[in-house]
Amino acid sequence: MALQKLRLGRYDYAGYTAFAMYSVCSLSFPLLIVAIGKSLNFPMDGGGMAAGGVLHMLRSISMVITLLICGWISAFFGKRITMGCSIIMIGLGIFCCAFSQFYWMLFPCLLLAGMGEGIAEGILTPFVQDLHPESPERYVNIAHSFWSVGIVLAVFSAGVLLTLGVSWRFILGVLGALTVISSLGFLWKENPASPYPESTSATDWASIWRATCRIVKLPRFWRCCLAMFFGAGAEFGLTFWAAAYIELTFKTSALVAGLGVGVIALGMFIGRTLFGYFARPGYLRWILLGAALATIPVSLALALLKPGIMPPGILMTLLFILLFAAGIGISPYWPTTQVYGVNNMPEEDSTLLYVYFSAMGTPGCGFFSWFMGVVGDRYGLNGALMVVPASLTVFIVVVLLECWVFARKK
């Protein structure tokens, strides 16, 4: 069957910008974590990796809190207004980080940013889905590819500027301000001829509670949640620690470390764009399994890669090739698992399903960011990277059980 031409409008571009700026704010912090740790007295090479992981774990906690109520918020105020306000919260939180003088002062700033990220995480995917209910699997994957665009922007804004001697405070301040400005894509006055197609979700707690009770009784929902937890953990754990891994293991500059993250982002962008373009409901399970199976040997190779095992030029070339391949491999876990779950529970509220799947993926990001930091403090970041193939192995088992074993019992 011939693929239809993509139809994009103002709110598609607003969603793409939101994904990019959300990514910039989320990933600029790990890109700058070595510099921030030195400045605020929790150095990464002096036992501070766990402290760095705690920052994202706390951020994840605030994300989960707002994720669990963002369905009601968006139903009451509308997805368009809710998304605009969430982007303001993200930008303001990152902007305030720039003025932190002590480690603990980062906590309230990241909690505010995390609250905005939680709302965006829960609403942004159904925001795009409501624009294209006829083929959400295509548009959702393409929209998620702009997360990778944000990573590239973060690389050049954080890695390059930091290498040039620009303060991490200035970088975070500017990124936060630009993120606040990007909220205008949602909040600017609508064109009456083409308003955002708000869905007719329930606006009262009783209706949402009844829908939630139906959802949590479904075994398939919990299997998809488990897949989200481990898939998201592998994706974000690798992305979060990649810059520190490159900079500390291979003794490179922040620029080279940032370029490594940019290579991962390029792979993610290409992977999500291709998967989104060719995705069909019947292909989703194959995309998830194929990507995970291919990523396990790549992540193992990254964990075993160390200076001295081959000439430096060949070593760095191989490193960047593996990072690119890993980016393609980890690209579909979050969006495709969500769409797979929603497609297989069509009788349930899709917005709530996206929200709850994100509410399981987000703790996966926080837990694995922290756990890899703990492992890194004890065994180095090469040892920490071994967590990625381990989590992907669990992900594959869950997907196999869901797609074949439990599906055949119905």
Side-chain angles (χ1 to χ4, degrees), residues 70 131 140 155 191 199 221 302 320 346 361 406:
C70 69
L131 291 170
V140 166
V155 165
N191 181 353
S199 61
F221 168 74
L302 282 171
F320 276 70
F406 288 105

Side-chain angles (χ1 to χ4, degrees), residues 129-183:
Q129 183 196 37
D130 285 351
L131 291 170
H132 307 283
E134 73 286 353
S135 54
E137 60 277 352
R138 296 181 68 196
Y139 290 91
V140 166
N141 271 281
I142 292 171
H144 275 259
S145 71
F146 279 81
W147 171 272
S148 307
V149 173
I151 297 177
V152 174
L153 293 174
V155 165
F156 284 98
S157 60
V160 174
L161 292 177
L162 196 64
T163 301
L164 293 175
V166 178
S167 170
W168 63 268
R169 298 181 186 277
F170 178 81
I171 297 170
L172 288 182
V174 171
L175 292 179
L178 290 175
T179 301
V180 171
I181 293 172
S182 71
S183 67

